Amino acid sequence: MPISEIDRKYLRRAVDLAREALEKGDQPFGSVLVSKDGDVLFEDHNHVSGGDNTQHPEFNIARWAAQNMSPEDRKAATVYTSGEHCPMCSGAHGMVGLGRIVIASSSKQLQEWRKEMGGIPSNVRPLSIQEVIRDIVVDGPVPEFEEEIKGLQRQAFERNK
């Protein structure tokens, strides 16, 4: 599905949340859950700096959706995220039955950027969402956000050297 202006609006918010996370000393990732009617239901950014590396916004969205939405509403919702879900978050997304995912940047891009910066690979394999969840619609990455997100990742990398 082509990326619409509405998609860009929610991706902008996800990237802004990623920036907020970075400003708070965390890894720059942000996500927004939007209902089929266009209402923002839940938004979050990374909270891994406290030592719990499961505190990803996409995982927290899945948990919130499971507790607060019907299966039908979850399937009709869209998750907008600054970076493609990791395998843990993809699994959570699939397990609770959330719908479409729109990504500003991909795991492949992040892996390439980290390599360019001299970072060590994650101990979790960078699987695409589609390798984890069957029959999921994923749109993106969106080129207009690439340099901004890469810059946020570079700032995080430099800070954590």
Side-chain angles (χ1 to χ4, degrees):
M1 174 183 294
I3 302 296
S4 70
E5 286 307 309
I6 292 170
D7 292 333
R8 284 179 174 79
K9 170 186 158 184
Y10 295 121
L11 282 176
R12 171 81 267 151
R13 179 62 185 146
V15 173
D16 289 345
L17 287 164
R19 182 175 305 284
E20 185 179 318
L22 182 66
E23 290 167 357
K24 290 179 177 180
D26 224 311
Q27 294 299 308
F29 294 94
S31 300
V32 181
L33 175 64
V34 178
S35 74
K36 68 178 179 183
D37 299 321
D39 297 319
V40 173
L41 301 173
F42 188 86
E43 61 181 31
D44 200 11
H45 59 71
N46 255 31
H47 299 279
V48 300
S49 64
D52 181 351
N53 288 325
T54 67
Q55 291 297 316
H56 295 186
E58 304 85 5
F59 196 86
N60 292 337
I61 281 174
R63 190 177 291 126
W64 184 91
Q67 295 170 356
N68 295 282
M69 298 174 74
S70 71
E72 297 78 23
D73 287 341
R74 292 193 300 257
K75 185 173 178 66
T78 301
V79 174
Y80 294 90
T81 188
S82 63
E84 184 172 7
H85 295 20
C86 72
M88 173 188 72
C89 294
S90 293
H93 187 110
M95 295 292 274
V96 302
L98 284 164
R100 178 178 179 234
I101 303 170
V102 184
I103 61 172
S105 64
S106 70
S107 295
K108 182 178 179 184
Q109 288 172 307
L110 180 60
Q111 186 178 14
E112 290 169 3
W113 299 336
R114 285 183 175 163
K115 187 175 180 182
E116 279 176 29
M117 294 175 212
I120 59 170
S122 170
N123 62 348
V124 175
R125 294 184 192 281
L127 303 175
S128 72
I129 294 166
Q130 296 94 328
E131 290 177 277
V132 179
I133 306 173
R134 282 190 210 107
D135 303 321
I136 186 75
V137 174
V138 179
D139 292 312
V142 181
E144 69 195 67
F145 293 103
E146 181 176 346
E147 287 306 313
E148 182 177 4
I149 295 169
K150 184 177 181 182
L152 294 174
Q153 293 295 333
R154 182 174 304 285
Q155 288 176 54
F157 179 78
E158 293 296 323
R159 180 185 64 212
N160 295 323
K161 272 172 120 176

